[in-house]
Amino acid sequence: MAKLILKSALNGKILNQGRIGKVMNDSQIEFFRECTVRIQSGNSRGTGFFIAPGLVITCAHVLPTQVLPAPVISIFWKMQQLQAEIFIEYAEIDLVLLQVREIPLNIPCVHASLEADITNTDDSFFTIGYSENYTNGDSATFDYEGITFLEGNEKLLKLKSGQAVPGFSGAPVLNCRTHRVQAILSISRDKNQDLGGRAISIQSLFSRHDGLREQHNLFHQQNVRWEQAFTMSKAQMLPTIPYLSCEQGAISNYVRIHTTRLPNETPSGTESVSSLARNSYNFDEIFRSQDFKQRLEYSAWLWLAPNFNLNHLEQIRVDSGVRGLELRLFYVRLDQACEKIAREHPVLSLWIRRRRSLLEYASSSSEILPSEKSTQSLKLNLTLLDIVSRPPSKRDRRLAGGIIKNALILASQVVCRVLVDIPEGETYGFFANLMIPIKKEDLRSNIFASQIAQDNIKLASYLWEGHTDADTYLVVVTETNTTEQHLGFWLPVVEEANISTPGALEAYRNVKGSSILLDDLPPFGTDLPSASRSRWEKYLSERLKLAAFVSLPLFLESQPGERKMLAILNVNIISAERNKCSRAYHDQWLRIAQRQAAPLIGEAYKAFTIQHAKLGRASLPQLYQGLQHFPLLELTGSRPATTTDP
């Protein structure tokens, strides 16, 4: 069966589907090619790829020895000739890092394996290189055979069942299972046959250059194109799951079917669980016939009932006959029992995931902003104070713009750290934007003069047809993406009681965090016309593919009961494992994220207001009014985002 080089994939002929067609499609291959470059110097040619913005990695032997000291090297990206120079050479592992001058906008970077991956014997790999015959790009696939051990604890991946031809040296080797670049192709085992080759582990590079790892991670936290290309396709294959808040009756019935000892009444406050069931069941009789594991399982079923909340955990422990367990140990054992039920009853797995994340809050919650983020917030604030104290200048306008981006990125990192359950060292991605409330006529402000903003204003008008006469609009005014993909997109603050609008509108109305999760898409209510509802459902299905969308409000509370809404931070969390975001289901976790991110959201809002109201000429009255609030803000910016639930 043909499964060697997919030579014609990028040269206008038919792609050999073989094994690669099962894990990658044509659009993913095209995107992967965008991360690569062709390198040619004299008679020597090879391949390289962007590992971080402006940095290309390739094999040192691709550059002739006499060329290495030269200051400038020509590389080709999508038929464009770029200039690069040697940044660092690692001759001992045959790698060189090139610094590219004046790179075009929006060049993607590969997403590399950040830790030493355990490679499976059945893993397949994909690469794109630039051979003499196919200078626009050529695809190849390989199977994993094992490891070649070198001196100094260095290792090479040994690949088979593919042909590594001249010109492929320096090509990125993508693991088709993890969708991460795991190595750099270096050696061919035979230039004329499909015997495979050997590749240098990406970890050999990262272990020598910690700063490169940090640049790589930061890029993928801010840029979502890789996850959109390789993760979104997985999300599209998942079945639609009903909104859990609408299914609690069915969940309660399912729980009752699987335990005959659940109370029928609805508890409130800290009322004893046993007091609700005492008339129907003799608990002493029950527990005499149960061993310890059975009692824990019973307590887990009780906890899974939708009508029980955190206030009932202590009473569940007592009434389940496990009062001898210390409370925190009880939480651990209860979580283990829930995990066991999830394995045995997969139909409840999504609901159990949600309940386990709430249980996690009970045992390990913190509402203190990490010290390093607090320090960064203080530095941003001091810089803003310097800007305000000087006469306006273009330099200060650019400086304020940098503060906006940095504050949004730092705030998003805080939100993700709280809501994404990912071990230290693993990565997640995000992009974020800031919305402010304005009047409809203010959409004509010069802030929204760009074509992207005008297109987004039209898109919002299409989605909200019939609701375009609201008094107040929430509109995106800045974001972490350099291309400003959502600038000008707006939401009307509508008053209809039966329009359910989780996300930014819910955060604005209720003055507390709100989230939308792909696993649990919400209904839109009966007052939203069917045409608008279908447009929104289509929009969400296309845009919300990755994990979670979180909205956090920023407001002033000059005195108790008087609150002025200033802005909404929207964070799109990207994680290949969407079940890692289940904390975002719960108000308790959202409140922690809100409190920790508040100082940084405040700095972003202040910087935006200063940039446009003091340093610019934006025709947006709210910005000028916003300046008067700054004396009320504490130095860290935490006052405007008071987050106690109303």
Side-chain angles (χ1 to χ4, degrees), residues 435 443 456-458 460-462 464 467-468 473-476 486 488-492 536:
M435 304 183 87
L443 287 172
N456 284 325
I457 289 173
K458 292 177 182 177
S461 299
Y462 168 74
W464 285 104
H467 293 83
T468 57
Y473 291 73
L474 288 175
V475 61
V476 175
H486 302 89
F489 187 82
W490 55 263
L491 302 171
W536 264 104

mmCIF file with all atom_site columns, all heavy atoms in Angstrom, residues 435 443 456-458 460-462 464 467-468 473-476 486 488-492 536:
data_model
loop_
_atom_site.group_PDB
_atom_site.id
_atom_site.type_symbol
_atom_site.label_atom_id
_atom_site.label_alt_id
_atom_site.label_comp_id
_atom_site.label_asym_id
_atom_site.label_entity_id
_atom_site.label_seq_id
_atom_site.pdbx_PDB_ins_code
_atom_site.Cartn_x
_atom_site.Cartn_y
_atom_site.Cartn_z
_atom_site.occupancy
_atom_site.B_iso_or_equiv
_atom_site.pdbx_formal_charge
_atom_site.auth_seq_id
_atom_site.auth_comp_id
_atom_site.auth_asym_id
_atom_site.auth_atom_id
_atom_site.pdbx_PDB_model_num
ATOM 1   N N   . MET A 1 435 ? -14.707 44.824 26.376 1.00 0.00 ? 435 MET A N   1
ATOM 2   C CA  . MET A 1 435 ? -15.913 45.486 25.881 1.00 0.00 ? 435 MET A CA  1
ATOM 3   C C   . MET A 1 435 ? -16.279 46.618 26.843 1.00 0.00 ? 435 MET A C   1
ATOM 4   O O   . MET A 1 435 ? -16.097 46.491 28.059 1.00 0.00 ? 435 MET A O   1
ATOM 5   C CB  . MET A 1 435 ? -17.086 44.505 25.790 1.00 0.00 ? 435 MET A CB  1
ATOM 6   C CG  . MET A 1 435 ? -16.831 43.272 24.954 1.00 0.00 ? 435 MET A CG  1
ATOM 7   S SD  . MET A 1 435 ? -18.296 42.191 24.832 1.00 0.00 ? 435 MET A SD  1
ATOM 8   C CE  . MET A 1 435 ? -19.129 42.922 23.420 1.00 0.00 ? 435 MET A CE  1
ATOM 9   N N   . LEU A 1 443 ? -21.134 54.137 17.812 1.00 0.00 ? 443 LEU A N   1
ATOM 10  C CA  . LEU A 1 443 ? -20.505 53.189 16.896 1.00 0.00 ? 443 LEU A CA  1
ATOM 11  C C   . LEU A 1 443 ? -19.883 53.909 15.702 1.00 0.00 ? 443 LEU A C   1
ATOM 12  O O   . LEU A 1 443 ? -19.105 53.318 14.957 1.00 0.00 ? 443 LEU A O   1
ATOM 13  C CB  . LEU A 1 443 ? -21.520 52.156 16.413 1.00 0.00 ? 443 LEU A CB  1
ATOM 14  C CG  . LEU A 1 443 ? -21.959 51.099 17.438 1.00 0.00 ? 443 LEU A CG  1
ATOM 15  C CD1 . LEU A 1 443 ? -23.095 50.261 16.885 1.00 0.00 ? 443 LEU A CD1 1
ATOM 16  C CD2 . LEU A 1 443 ? -20.781 50.211 17.820 1.00 0.00 ? 443 LEU A CD2 1
ATOM 17  N N   . ASN A 1 456 ? -17.375 43.785 11.526 1.00 0.00 ? 456 ASN A N   1
ATOM 18  C CA  . ASN A 1 456 ? -17.911 43.205 12.760 1.00 0.00 ? 456 ASN A CA  1
ATOM 19  C C   . ASN A 1 456 ? -19.190 43.902 13.204 1.00 0.00 ? 456 ASN A C   1
ATOM 20  O O   . ASN A 1 456 ? -20.094 43.270 13.760 1.00 0.00 ? 456 ASN A O   1
ATOM 21  C CB  . ASN A 1 456 ? -16.859 43.275 13.871 1.00 0.00 ? 456 ASN A CB  1
ATOM 22  C CG  . ASN A 1 456 ? -15.769 42.232 13.698 1.00 0.00 ? 456 ASN A CG  1
ATOM 23  O OD1 . ASN A 1 456 ? -16.033 41.126 13.233 1.00 0.00 ? 456 ASN A OD1 1
ATOM 24  N ND2 . ASN A 1 456 ? -14.549 42.577 14.058 1.00 0.00 ? 456 ASN A ND2 1
ATOM 25  N N   . ILE A 1 457 ? -19.284 45.197 12.978 1.00 0.00 ? 457 ILE A N   1
ATOM 26  C CA  . ILE A 1 457 ? -20.518 45.923 13.290 1.00 0.00 ? 457 ILE A CA  1
ATOM 27  C C   . ILE A 1 457 ? -21.666 45.391 12.434 1.00 0.00 ? 457 ILE A C   1
ATOM 28  O O   . ILE A 1 457 ? -22.789 45.175 12.924 1.00 0.00 ? 457 ILE A O   1
ATOM 29  C CB  . ILE A 1 457 ? -20.320 47.438 13.073 1.00 0.00 ? 457 ILE A CB  1
ATOM 30  C CG1 . ILE A 1 457 ? -19.390 48.014 14.158 1.00 0.00 ? 457 ILE A CG1 1
ATOM 31  C CG2 . ILE A 1 457 ? -21.652 48.167 13.080 1.00 0.00 ? 457 ILE A CG2 1
ATOM 32  C CD1 . ILE A 1 457 ? -18.993 49.458 13.928 1.00 0.00 ? 457 ILE A CD1 1
ATOM 33  N N   . LYS A 1 458 ? -21.392 45.129 11.161 1.00 0.00 ? 458 LYS A N   1
ATOM 34  C CA  . LYS A 1 458 ? -22.416 44.576 10.273 1.00 0.00 ? 458 LYS A CA  1
ATOM 35  C C   . LYS A 1 458 ? -22.796 43.158 10.697 1.00 0.00 ? 458 LYS A C   1
ATOM 36  O O   . LYS A 1 458 ? -23.974 42.779 10.653 1.00 0.00 ? 458 LYS A O   1
ATOM 37  C CB  . LYS A 1 458 ? -21.912 44.582 8.832  1.00 0.00 ? 458 LYS A CB  1
ATOM 38  C CG  . LYS A 1 458 ? -21.758 45.974 8.228  1.00 0.00 ? 458 LYS A CG  1
ATOM 39  C CD  . LYS A 1 458 ? -21.195 45.903 6.816  1.00 0.00 ? 458 LYS A CD  1
ATOM 40  C CE  . LYS A 1 458 ? -20.999 47.301 6.232  1.00 0.00 ? 458 LYS A CE  1
ATOM 41  N NZ  . LYS A 1 458 ? -20.384 47.244 4.874  1.00 0.00 ? 458 LYS A NZ  1
ATOM 42  N N   . ALA A 1 460 ? -22.707 41.901 13.741 1.00 0.00 ? 460 ALA A N   1
ATOM 43  C CA  . ALA A 1 460 ? -23.551 41.996 14.938 1.00 0.00 ? 460 ALA A CA  1
ATOM 44  C C   . ALA A 1 460 ? -24.966 42.428 14.567 1.00 0.00 ? 460 ALA A C   1
ATOM 45  O O   . ALA A 1 460 ? -25.952 41.916 15.121 1.00 0.00 ? 460 ALA A O   1
ATOM 46  C CB  . ALA A 1 460 ? -22.930 42.976 15.929 1.00 0.00 ? 460 ALA A CB  1
ATOM 47  N N   . SER A 1 461 ? -25.083 43.348 13.628 1.00 0.00 ? 461 SER A N   1
ATOM 48  C CA  . SER A 1 461 ? -26.411 43.792 13.183 1.00 0.00 ? 461 SER A CA  1
ATOM 49  C C   . SER A 1 461 ? -27.195 42.635 12.569 1.00 0.00 ? 461 SER A C   1
ATOM 50  O O   . SER A 1 461 ? -28.414 42.508 12.767 1.00 0.00 ? 461 SER A O   1
ATOM 51  C CB  . SER A 1 461 ? -26.274 44.925 12.157 1.00 0.00 ? 461 SER A CB  1
ATOM 52  O OG  . SER A 1 461 ? -25.613 46.044 12.714 1.00 0.00 ? 461 SER A OG  1
ATOM 53  N N   . TYR A 1 462 ? -26.504 41.772 11.837 1.00 0.00 ? 462 TYR A N   1
ATOM 54  C CA  . TYR A 1 462 ? -27.138 40.600 11.236 1.00 0.00 ? 462 TYR A CA  1
ATOM 55  C C   . TYR A 1 462 ? -27.601 39.619 12.317 1.00 0.00 ? 462 TYR A C   1
ATOM 56  O O   . TYR A 1 462 ? -28.730 39.113 12.281 1.00 0.00 ? 462 TYR A O   1
ATOM 57  C CB  . TYR A 1 462 ? -26.164 39.930 10.280 1.00 0.00 ? 462 TYR A CB  1
ATOM 58  C CG  . TYR A 1 462 ? -26.583 38.557 9.805  1.00 0.00 ? 462 TYR A CG  1
ATOM 59  C CD1 . TYR A 1 462 ? -27.614 38.403 8.872  1.00 0.00 ? 462 TYR A CD1 1
ATOM 60  C CD2 . TYR A 1 462 ? -25.944 37.421 10.289 1.00 0.00 ? 462 TYR A CD2 1
ATOM 61  C CE1 . TYR A 1 462 ? -27.997 37.140 8.438  1.00 0.00 ? 462 TYR A CE1 1
ATOM 62  C CE2 . TYR A 1 462 ? -26.325 36.157 9.867  1.00 0.00 ? 462 TYR A CE2 1
ATOM 63  C CZ  . TYR A 1 462 ? -27.351 36.018 8.945  1.00 0.00 ? 462 TYR A CZ  1
ATOM 64  O OH  . TYR A 1 462 ? -27.730 34.770 8.522  1.00 0.00 ? 462 TYR A OH  1
ATOM 65  N N   . TRP A 1 464 ? -28.240 40.218 15.477 1.00 0.00 ? 464 TRP A N   1
ATOM 66  C CA  . TRP A 1 464 ? -29.224 40.787 16.396 1.00 0.00 ? 464 TRP A CA  1
ATOM 67  C C   . TRP A 1 464 ? -30.332 41.531 15.650 1.00 0.00 ? 464 TRP A C   1
ATOM 68  O O   . TRP A 1 464 ? -30.894 42.488 16.180 1.00 0.00 ? 464 TRP A O   1
ATOM 69  C CB  . TRP A 1 464 ? -28.535 41.729 17.381 1.00 0.00 ? 464 TRP A CB  1
ATOM 70  C CG  . TRP A 1 464 ? -27.768 40.997 18.435 1.00 0.00 ? 464 TRP A CG  1
ATOM 71  C CD1 . TRP A 1 464 ? -26.425 40.826 18.511 1.00 0.00 ? 464 TRP A CD1 1
ATOM 72  C CD2 . TRP A 1 464 ? -28.323 40.325 19.569 1.00 0.00 ? 464 TRP A CD2 1
ATOM 73  N NE1 . TRP A 1 464 ? -26.089 40.080 19.616 1.00 0.00 ? 464 TRP A NE1 1
ATOM 74  C CE2 . TRP A 1 464 ? -27.243 39.760 20.283 1.00 0.00 ? 464 TRP A CE2 1
ATOM 75  C CE3 . TRP A 1 464 ? -29.621 40.137 20.045 1.00 0.00 ? 464 TRP A CE3 1
ATOM 76  C CZ2 . TRP A 1 464 ? -27.423 39.030 21.447 1.00 0.00 ? 464 TRP A CZ2 1
ATOM 77  C CZ3 . TRP A 1 464 ? -29.793 39.404 21.206 1.00 0.00 ? 464 TRP A CZ3 1
ATOM 78  C CH2 . TRP A 1 464 ? -28.713 38.858 21.905 1.00 0.00 ? 464 TRP A CH2 1
ATOM 79  N N   . HIS A 1 467 ? -33.227 43.635 17.234 1.00 0.00 ? 467 HIS A N   1
ATOM 80  C CA  . HIS A 1 467 ? -32.853 44.117 18.567 1.00 0.00 ? 467 HIS A CA  1
ATOM 81  C C   . HIS A 1 467 ? -31.755 45.177 18.452 1.00 0.00 ? 467 HIS A C   1
ATOM 82  O O   . HIS A 1 467 ? -30.830 45.226 19.263 1.00 0.00 ? 467 HIS A O   1
ATOM 83  C CB  . HIS A 1 467 ? -32.367 42.959 19.438 1.00 0.00 ? 467 HIS A CB  1
ATOM 84  C CG  . HIS A 1 467 ? -33.438 41.976 19.785 1.00 0.00 ? 467 HIS A CG  1
ATOM 85  N ND1 . HIS A 1 467 ? -33.806 40.961 18.929 1.00 0.00 ? 467 HIS A ND1 1
ATOM 86  C CD2 . HIS A 1 467 ? -34.239 41.873 20.876 1.00 0.00 ? 467 HIS A CD2 1
ATOM 87  C CE1 . HIS A 1 467 ? -34.778 40.255 19.487 1.00 0.00 ? 467 HIS A CE1 1
ATOM 88  N NE2 . HIS A 1 467 ? -35.063 40.787 20.661 1.00 0.00 ? 467 HIS A NE2 1
ATOM 89  N N   . THR A 1 468 ? -31.849 46.001 17.420 1.00 0.00 ? 468 THR A N   1
ATOM 90  C CA  . THR A 1 468 ? -30.795 46.987 17.169 1.00 0.00 ? 468 THR A CA  1
ATOM 91  C C   . THR A 1 468 ? -31.139 48.375 17.686 1.00 0.00 ? 468 THR A C   1
ATOM 92  O O   . THR A 1 468 ? -30.425 49.333 17.401 1.00 0.00 ? 468 THR A O   1
ATOM 93  C CB  . THR A 1 468 ? -30.509 47.070 15.649 1.00 0.00 ? 468 THR A CB  1
ATOM 94  O OG1 . THR A 1 468 ? -31.732 47.396 14.969 1.00 0.00 ? 468 THR A OG1 1
ATOM 95  C CG2 . THR A 1 468 ? -29.979 45.746 15.128 1.00 0.00 ? 468 THR A CG2 1
ATOM 96  N N   . TYR A 1 473 ? -25.160 49.468 24.259 1.00 0.00 ? 473 TYR A N   1
ATOM 97  C CA  . TYR A 1 473 ? -24.487 48.378 23.550 1.00 0.00 ? 473 TYR A CA  1
ATOM 98  C C   . TYR A 1 473 ? -23.174 48.069 24.260 1.00 0.00 ? 473 TYR A C   1
ATOM 99  O O   . TYR A 1 473 ? -22.488 48.979 24.741 1.00 0.00 ? 473 TYR A O   1
ATOM 100 C CB  . TYR A 1 473 ? -24.177 48.763 22.103 1.00 0.00 ? 473 TYR A CB  1
ATOM 101 C CG  . TYR A 1 473 ? -25.382 48.898 21.209 1.00 0.00 ? 473 TYR A CG  1
ATOM 102 C CD1 . TYR A 1 473 ? -26.245 49.980 21.316 1.00 0.00 ? 473 TYR A CD1 1
ATOM 103 C CD2 . TYR A 1 473 ? -25.656 47.935 20.255 1.00 0.00 ? 473 TYR A CD2 1
ATOM 104 C CE1 . TYR A 1 473 ? -27.354 50.099 20.499 1.00 0.00 ? 473 TYR A CE1 1
ATOM 105 C CE2 . TYR A 1 473 ? -26.763 48.043 19.420 1.00 0.00 ? 473 TYR A CE2 1
ATOM 106 C CZ  . TYR A 1 473 ? -27.607 49.129 19.549 1.00 0.00 ? 473 TYR A CZ  1
ATOM 107 O OH  . TYR A 1 473 ? -28.702 49.243 18.739 1.00 0.00 ? 473 TYR A OH  1
ATOM 108 N N   . LEU A 1 474 ? -22.840 46.781 24.310 1.00 0.00 ? 474 LEU A N   1
ATOM 109 C CA  . LEU A 1 474 ? -21.500 46.381 24.722 1.00 0.00 ? 474 LEU A CA  1
ATOM 110 C C   . LEU A 1 474 ? -20.688 46.138 23.456 1.00 0.00 ? 474 LEU A C   1
ATOM 111 O O   . LEU A 1 474 ? -21.088 45.329 22.613 1.00 0.00 ? 474 LEU A O   1
ATOM 112 C CB  . LEU A 1 474 ? -21.538 45.099 25.559 1.00 0.00 ? 474 LEU A CB  1
ATOM 113 C CG  . LEU A 1 474 ? -22.097 45.208 26.972 1.00 0.00 ? 474 LEU A CG  1
ATOM 114 C CD1 . LEU A 1 474 ? -22.168 43.825 27.618 1.00 0.00 ? 474 LEU A CD1 1
ATOM 115 C CD2 . LEU A 1 474 ? -21.227 46.125 27.817 1.00 0.00 ? 474 LEU A CD2 1
ATOM 116 N N   . VAL A 1 475 ? -19.549 46.814 23.298 1.00 0.00 ? 475 VAL A N   1
ATOM 117 C CA  . VAL A 1 475 ? -18.787 46.731 22.055 1.00 0.00 ? 475 VAL A CA  1
ATOM 118 C C   . VAL A 1 475 ? -17.323 46.438 22.359 1.00 0.00 ? 475 VAL A C   1
ATOM 119 O O   . VAL A 1 475 ? -16.766 46.930 23.345 1.00 0.00 ? 475 VAL A O   1
ATOM 120 C CB  . VAL A 1 475 ? -18.925 48.039 21.242 1.00 0.00 ? 475 VAL A CB  1
ATOM 121 C CG1 . VAL A 1 475 ? -18.401 49.227 22.018 1.00 0.00 ? 475 VAL A CG1 1
ATOM 122 C CG2 . VAL A 1 475 ? -18.240 47.924 19.884 1.00 0.00 ? 475 VAL A CG2 1
ATOM 123 N N   . VAL A 1 476 ? -16.711 45.605 21.535 1.00 0.00 ? 476 VAL A N   1
ATOM 124 C CA  . VAL A 1 476 ? -15.285 45.275 21.683 1.00 0.00 ? 476 VAL A CA  1
ATOM 125 C C   . VAL A 1 476 ? -14.456 46.476 21.227 1.00 0.00 ? 476 VAL A C   1
ATOM 126 O O   . VAL A 1 476 ? -14.587 46.943 20.091 1.00 0.00 ? 476 VAL A O   1
ATOM 127 C CB  . VAL A 1 476 ? -14.918 44.028 20.853 1.00 0.00 ? 476 VAL A CB  1
ATOM 128 C CG1 . VAL A 1 476 ? -13.406 43.778 20.917 1.00 0.00 ? 476 VAL A CG1 1
ATOM 129 C CG2 . VAL A 1 476 ? -15.680 42.808 21.345 1.00 0.00 ? 476 VAL A CG2 1
ATOM 130 N N   . HIS A 1 486 ? -12.032 41.026 16.448 1.00 0.00 ? 486 HIS A N   1
ATOM 131 C CA  . HIS A 1 486 ? -13.379 41.248 16.962 1.00 0.00 ? 486 HIS A CA  1
ATOM 132 C C   . HIS A 1 486 ? -13.681 42.721 17.229 1.00 0.00 ? 486 HIS A C   1
ATOM 133 O O   . HIS A 1 486 ? -14.738 43.043 17.759 1.00 0.00 ? 486 HIS A O   1
ATOM 134 C CB  . HIS A 1 486 ? -13.580 40.445 18.258 1.00 0.00 ? 486 HIS A CB  1
ATOM 135 C CG  . HIS A 1 486 ? -13.376 38.978 18.080 1.00 0.00 ? 486 HIS A CG  1
ATOM 136 N ND1 . HIS A 1 486 ? -12.143 38.386 18.230 1.00 0.00 ? 486 HIS A ND1 1
ATOM 137 C CD2 . HIS A 1 486 ? -14.237 37.980 17.753 1.00 0.00 ? 486 HIS A CD2 1
ATOM 138 C CE1 . HIS A 1 486 ? -12.248 37.091 18.011 1.00 0.00 ? 486 HIS A CE1 1
ATOM 139 N NE2 . HIS A 1 486 ? -13.508 36.819 17.714 1.00 0.00 ? 486 HIS A NE2 1
ATOM 140 N N   . GLY A 1 488 ? -15.153 46.177 17.283 1.00 0.00 ? 488 GLY A N   1
ATOM 141 C CA  . GLY A 1 488 ? -16.417 46.682 16.779 1.00 0.00 ? 488 GLY A CA  1
ATOM 142 C C   . GLY A 1 488 ? -17.599 45.747 16.953 1.00 0.00 ? 488 GLY A C   1
ATOM 143 O O   . GLY A 1 488 ? -18.753 46.167 16.807 1.00 0.00 ? 488 GLY A O   1
ATOM 144 N N   . PHE A 1 489 ? -17.343 44.481 17.284 1.00 0.00 ? 489 PHE A N   1
ATOM 145 C CA  . PHE A 1 489 ? -18.459 43.551 17.487 1.00 0.00 ? 489 PHE A CA  1
ATOM 146 C C   . PHE A 1 489 ? -19.234 43.970 18.728 1.00 0.00 ? 489 PHE A C   1
ATOM 147 O O   . PHE A 1 489 ? -18.658 44.260 19.763 1.00 0.00 ? 489 PHE A O   1
ATOM 148 C CB  . PHE A 1 489 ? -17.954 42.119 17.647 1.00 0.00 ? 489 PHE A CB  1
ATOM 149 C CG  . PHE A 1 489 ? -19.060 41.093 17.686 1.00 0.00 ? 489 PHE A CG  1
ATOM 150 C CD1 . PHE A 1 489 ? -19.618 40.630 16.511 1.00 0.00 ? 489 PHE A CD1 1
ATOM 151 C CD2 . PHE A 1 489 ? -19.547 40.618 18.889 1.00 0.00 ? 489 PHE A CD2 1
ATOM 152 C CE1 . PHE A 1 489 ? -20.644 39.697 16.530 1.00 0.00 ? 489 PHE A CE1 1
ATOM 153 C CE2 . PHE A 1 489 ? -20.573 39.687 18.925 1.00 0.00 ? 489 PHE A CE2 1
ATOM 154 C CZ  . PHE A 1 489 ? -21.122 39.225 17.743 1.00 0.00 ? 489 PHE A CZ  1
ATOM 155 N N   . TRP A 1 490 ? -20.566 44.012 18.633 1.00 0.00 ? 490 TRP A N   1
ATOM 156 C CA  . TRP A 1 490 ? -21.360 44.535 19.737 1.00 0.00 ? 490 TRP A CA  1
ATOM 157 C C   . TRP A 1 490 ? -22.496 43.593 20.125 1.00 0.00 ? 490 TRP A C   1
ATOM 158 O O   . TRP A 1 490 ? -22.906 42.720 19.360 1.00 0.00 ? 490 TRP A O   1
ATOM 159 C CB  . TRP A 1 490 ? -21.917 45.918 19.409 1.00 0.00 ? 490 TRP A CB  1
ATOM 160 C CG  . TRP A 1 490 ? -22.718 46.028 18.140 1.00 0.00 ? 490 TRP A CG  1
ATOM 161 C CD1 . TRP A 1 490 ? -22.265 46.443 16.918 1.00 0.00 ? 490 TRP A CD1 1
ATOM 162 C CD2 . TRP A 1 490 ? -24.108 45.705 17.963 1.00 0.00 ? 490 TRP A CD2 1
ATOM 163 N NE1 . TRP A 1 490 ? -23.271 46.423 15.999 1.00 0.00 ? 490 TRP A NE1 1
ATOM 164 C CE2 . TRP A 1 490 ? -24.431 45.975 16.606 1.00 0.00 ? 490 TRP A CE2 1
ATOM 165 C CE3 . TRP A 1 490 ? -25.108 45.245 18.807 1.00 0.00 ? 490 TRP A CE3 1
ATOM 166 C CZ2 . TRP A 1 490 ? -25.696 45.772 16.091 1.00 0.00 ? 490 TRP A CZ2 1
ATOM 167 C CZ3 . TRP A 1 490 ? -26.393 45.043 18.293 1.00 0.00 ? 490 TRP A CZ3 1
ATOM 168 C CH2 . TRP A 1 490 ? -26.667 45.303 16.946 1.00 0.00 ? 490 TRP A CH2 1
ATOM 169 N N   . LEU A 1 491 ? -22.993 43.797 21.347 1.00 0.00 ? 491 LEU A N   1
ATOM 170 C CA  . LEU A 1 491 ? -24.149 43.083 21.874 1.00 0.00 ? 491 LEU A CA  1
ATOM 171 C C   . LEU A 1 491 ? -25.123 44.111 22.430 1.00 0.00 ? 491 LEU A C   1
ATOM 172 O O   . LEU A 1 491 ? -24.715 45.022 23.160 1.00 0.00 ? 491 LEU A O   1
ATOM 173 C CB  . LEU A 1 491 ? -23.738 42.123 22.998 1.00 0.00 ? 491 LEU A CB  1
ATOM 174 C CG  . LEU A 1 491 ? -22.698 41.052 22.670 1.00 0.00 ? 491 LEU A CG  1
ATOM 175 C CD1 . LEU A 1 491 ? -22.256 40.361 23.949 1.00 0.00 ? 491 LEU A CD1 1
ATOM 176 C CD2 . LEU A 1 491 ? -23.270 40.035 21.691 1.00 0.00 ? 491 LEU A CD2 1
ATOM 177 N N   . PRO A 1 492 ? -26.414 43.993 22.122 1.00 0.00 ? 492 PRO A N   1
ATOM 178 C CA  . PRO A 1 492 ? -27.380 44.945 22.675 1.00 0.00 ? 492 PRO A CA  1
ATOM 179 C C   . PRO A 1 492 ? -27.783 44.542 24.089 1.00 0.00 ? 492 PRO A C   1
ATOM 180 O O   . PRO A 1 492 ? -27.998 43.361 24.376 1.00 0.00 ? 492 PRO A O   1
ATOM 181 C CB  . PRO A 1 492 ? -28.569 44.823 21.716 1.00 0.00 ? 492 PRO A CB  1
ATOM 182 C CG  . PRO A 1 492 ? -28.510 43.403 21.249 1.00 0.00 ? 492 PRO A CG  1
ATOM 183 C CD  . PRO A 1 492 ? -27.046 43.024 21.203 1.00 0.00 ? 492 PRO A CD  1
ATOM 184 N N   . TRP A 1 536 ? -27.537 32.706 15.799 1.00 0.00 ? 536 TRP A N   1
ATOM 185 C CA  . TRP A 1 536 ? -26.629 32.641 16.936 1.00 0.00 ? 536 TRP A CA  1
ATOM 186 C C   . TRP A 1 536 ? -26.112 31.227 17.168 1.00 0.00 ? 536 TRP A C   1
ATOM 187 O O   . TRP A 1 536 ? -24.939 31.028 17.504 1.00 0.00 ? 536 TRP A O   1
ATOM 188 C CB  . TRP A 1 536 ? -27.321 33.164 18.201 1.00 0.00 ? 536 TRP A CB  1
ATOM 189 C CG  . TRP A 1 536 ? -27.014 34.593 18.444 1.00 0.00 ? 536 TRP A CG  1
ATOM 190 C CD1 . TRP A 1 536 ? -27.813 35.670 18.226 1.00 0.00 ? 536 TRP A CD1 1
ATOM 191 C CD2 . TRP A 1 536 ? -25.770 35.120 18.934 1.00 0.00 ? 536 TRP A CD2 1
ATOM 192 N NE1 . TRP A 1 536 ? -27.160 36.835 18.541 1.00 0.00 ? 536 TRP A NE1 1
ATOM 193 C CE2 . TRP A 1 536 ? -25.890 36.523 18.983 1.00 0.00 ? 536 TRP A CE2 1
ATOM 194 C CE3 . TRP A 1 536 ? -24.560 34.551 19.325 1.00 0.00 ? 536 TRP A CE3 1
ATOM 195 C CZ2 . TRP A 1 536 ? -24.877 37.362 19.414 1.00 0.00 ? 536 TRP A CZ2 1
ATOM 196 C CZ3 . TRP A 1 536 ? -23.541 35.383 19.763 1.00 0.00 ? 536 TRP A CZ3 1
ATOM 197 C CH2 . TRP A 1 536 ? -23.704 36.754 19.800 1.00 0.00 ? 536 TRP A CH2 1
#
